Amino acid sequence: MDALCPSASADAAGARAFGLVGGDADRPRVAYLAEPVPVTEDLKRAAAPVTLEEVARTSAPCGGNACRHYDGADCTLVRRIVSLLDPAVARPPACSIRGQCRWWAQEGKAACLRCPQIVTQSMNETRAYQAAMTPPSQGAFAC
Protein backbone atom coordinates (compact mmCIF):
# COMPACT_ATOMS: atom_id res chain seq x y z
CA MET A 1 0.00 0.00 0.00
CA ASP A 2 1.13 3.55 -0.72
CA ALA A 3 2.60 5.71 2.00
CA LEU A 4 0.06 8.07 3.52
CA CYS A 5 0.58 11.81 3.77
CA PRO A 6 -0.69 12.88 7.22
CA SER A 7 -1.16 16.44 5.99
CA ALA A 8 -3.33 15.83 2.95
CA SER A 9 -6.25 17.91 1.78
CA ALA A 10 -9.70 16.62 2.56
CA ASP A 11 -10.31 16.87 -1.19
CA ALA A 12 -7.45 14.48 -2.07
CA ALA A 13 -8.36 11.13 -3.61
CA GLY A 14 -8.65 8.52 -0.87
CA ALA A 15 -8.68 11.09 1.95
CA ARG A 16 -9.47 9.82 5.43
CA ALA A 17 -9.88 11.83 8.63
CA PHE A 18 -7.58 10.42 11.31
CA GLY A 19 -7.68 13.14 13.95
CA LEU A 20 -9.80 15.97 15.31
CA VAL A 21 -8.40 19.42 16.05
CA GLY A 22 -8.90 20.56 19.63
CA GLY A 23 -7.13 22.90 21.98
CA ASP A 24 -7.46 26.59 21.23
CA ALA A 25 -6.34 29.08 18.57
CA ASP A 26 -3.01 29.68 20.33
CA ARG A 27 -2.28 26.01 20.97
CA PRO A 28 -4.22 23.65 18.73
CA ARG A 29 -3.77 19.93 19.33
CA VAL A 30 -4.86 16.92 17.34
CA ALA A 31 -6.73 14.12 19.09
CA TYR A 32 -6.29 10.93 17.10
CA LEU A 33 -9.20 8.72 16.09
CA ALA A 34 -9.07 4.99 16.84
CA GLU A 35 -9.74 4.33 13.13
CA PRO A 36 -9.55 6.68 10.14
CA VAL A 37 -12.89 7.77 8.67
CA PRO A 38 -13.30 8.14 4.89
CA VAL A 39 -13.85 11.74 3.87
CA THR A 40 -17.27 11.99 2.26
CA GLU A 41 -19.44 14.90 1.26
CA ASP A 42 -21.59 14.15 4.32
CA LEU A 43 -18.54 14.43 6.59
CA LYS A 44 -17.55 17.73 4.95
CA ARG A 45 -21.10 19.06 5.45
CA ALA A 46 -21.03 17.96 9.10
CA ALA A 47 -18.08 20.31 9.67
CA ALA A 48 -20.10 23.34 8.48
CA PRO A 49 -19.98 26.24 8.88
CA VAL A 50 -16.18 25.68 8.78
CA THR A 51 -14.18 23.48 6.43
CA LEU A 52 -13.24 19.95 7.40
CA GLU A 53 -9.56 21.01 7.41
CA GLU A 54 -10.32 23.43 10.25
CA VAL A 55 -11.57 20.67 12.53
CA ALA A 56 -9.81 17.51 11.34
CA ARG A 57 -6.49 16.17 10.11
CA THR A 58 -6.75 14.10 6.97
CA SER A 59 -4.44 11.64 5.28
CA ALA A 60 -4.31 10.41 1.70
CA PRO A 61 -1.81 8.53 -0.44
CA CYS A 62 1.39 10.57 -0.77
CA GLY A 63 1.40 12.63 -3.96
CA GLY A 64 5.12 12.10 -4.47
CA ASN A 65 6.59 14.26 -7.21
CA ALA A 66 3.24 16.01 -7.75
CA CYS A 67 3.47 17.55 -4.24
CA ARG A 68 5.33 20.79 -3.65
CA HIS A 69 6.74 19.36 -0.41
CA TYR A 70 8.38 16.35 -2.09
CA ASP A 71 11.96 16.63 -3.31
CA GLY A 72 12.08 13.40 -5.30
CA ALA A 73 13.12 11.28 -2.33
CA ASP A 74 11.70 12.77 0.85
CA CYS A 75 8.94 14.93 2.27
CA THR A 76 10.51 18.31 2.94
CA LEU A 77 7.49 19.37 5.02
CA VAL A 78 8.21 16.86 7.78
CA ARG A 79 11.93 17.56 7.49
CA ARG A 80 11.22 21.25 8.23
CA ILE A 81 8.74 20.37 10.99
CA VAL A 82 11.34 18.23 12.77
CA SER A 83 14.12 20.78 12.39
CA LEU A 84 12.13 23.93 13.25
CA LEU A 85 9.45 22.95 15.77
CA ASP A 86 9.82 21.74 19.33
CA PRO A 87 8.09 18.50 20.29
CA ALA A 88 4.46 18.94 21.33
CA VAL A 89 4.28 15.74 23.38
CA ALA A 90 6.71 13.54 25.32
CA ARG A 91 5.62 10.24 23.73
CA PRO A 92 4.28 9.43 20.28
CA PRO A 93 0.47 9.48 20.45
CA ALA A 94 -1.60 6.44 19.53
CA CYS A 95 -2.09 6.89 15.79
CA SER A 96 -4.09 4.70 13.45
CA ILE A 97 -2.03 5.57 10.34
CA ARG A 98 1.51 5.26 11.74
CA GLY A 99 2.20 1.97 9.95
CA GLN A 100 1.62 3.67 6.59
CA CYS A 101 2.66 7.23 7.46
CA ARG A 102 5.29 8.84 5.23
CA TRP A 103 6.38 11.11 8.09
CA TRP A 104 6.94 8.13 10.43
CA ALA A 105 8.81 6.20 7.74
CA GLN A 106 11.05 9.17 7.04
CA GLU A 107 11.63 10.84 10.44
CA GLY A 108 10.37 8.28 12.97
CA LYS A 109 9.63 9.30 16.54
CA ALA A 110 10.76 12.89 15.97
CA ALA A 111 7.86 13.40 13.54
CA CYS A 112 5.32 11.80 15.88
CA LEU A 113 6.35 14.03 18.78
CA ARG A 114 5.54 17.11 16.69
CA CYS A 115 2.52 15.83 14.80
CA PRO A 116 -0.20 16.80 17.34
CA GLN A 117 0.55 20.51 16.82
CA ILE A 118 0.22 20.37 13.03
CA VAL A 119 -3.12 21.66 11.78
CA THR A 120 -4.14 22.61 8.25
CA GLN A 121 -5.87 25.84 9.24
CA SER A 122 -3.89 27.57 11.99
CA MET A 123 -5.02 30.90 13.42
CA ASN A 124 -1.94 32.11 15.36
CA GLU A 125 1.17 30.71 13.75
CA THR A 126 4.59 31.37 15.24
CA ARG A 127 7.45 32.30 12.91
CA ALA A 128 8.91 28.83 13.33
CA TYR A 129 5.55 27.25 12.42
CA GLN A 130 5.22 29.48 9.34
CA ALA A 131 8.76 28.59 8.25
CA ALA A 132 8.10 24.88 8.72
CA MET A 133 4.96 25.03 6.58
CA THR A 134 6.50 27.06 3.72
CA PRO A 135 7.63 24.83 0.85
CA PRO A 136 10.92 25.56 -0.90
CA SER A 137 9.25 25.62 -4.35
CA GLN A 138 5.84 25.30 -5.91
CA GLY A 139 4.74 21.92 -7.27
CA ALA A 140 1.49 20.80 -8.81
CA PHE A 141 -0.40 20.75 -5.52
CA ALA A 142 0.08 21.12 -1.82
CA CYS A 143 -0.47 18.07 0.31
Side-chain angles (χ1 to χ4, degrees), residues 3 26 36 45 50 58 61 63 66 75 84 95 106 115-116 122 124-125 143:
D26 290 328
R45 279 191 295 277
V50 299
T58 54
C75 175
L84 296 172
C95 176
Q106 182 179 319
C115 189
S122 180
N124 294 317
E125 298 173 349
C143 296

Side-chain angles (χ1 to χ4, degrees), residues 82-104:
V82 167
S83 69
L84 296 172
L85 299 180
D86 292 330
V89 293
R91 294 186 308 269
C95 176
S96 60
I97 69 164
R98 183 171 293 126
Q100 297 173 270
C101 181
R102 165 142 332 260
W103 290 7
W104 167 256

Side-chain angles (χ1 to χ4, degrees), residues 18-23 28-33 56-57 93 115-119:
F18 70 96
L20 298 176
V21 177
R29 287 295 180 261
V30 174
Y32 297 88
L33 301 174
R57 280 276 299 279
C115 189
Q117 67 189 308
I118 307 303
V119 295

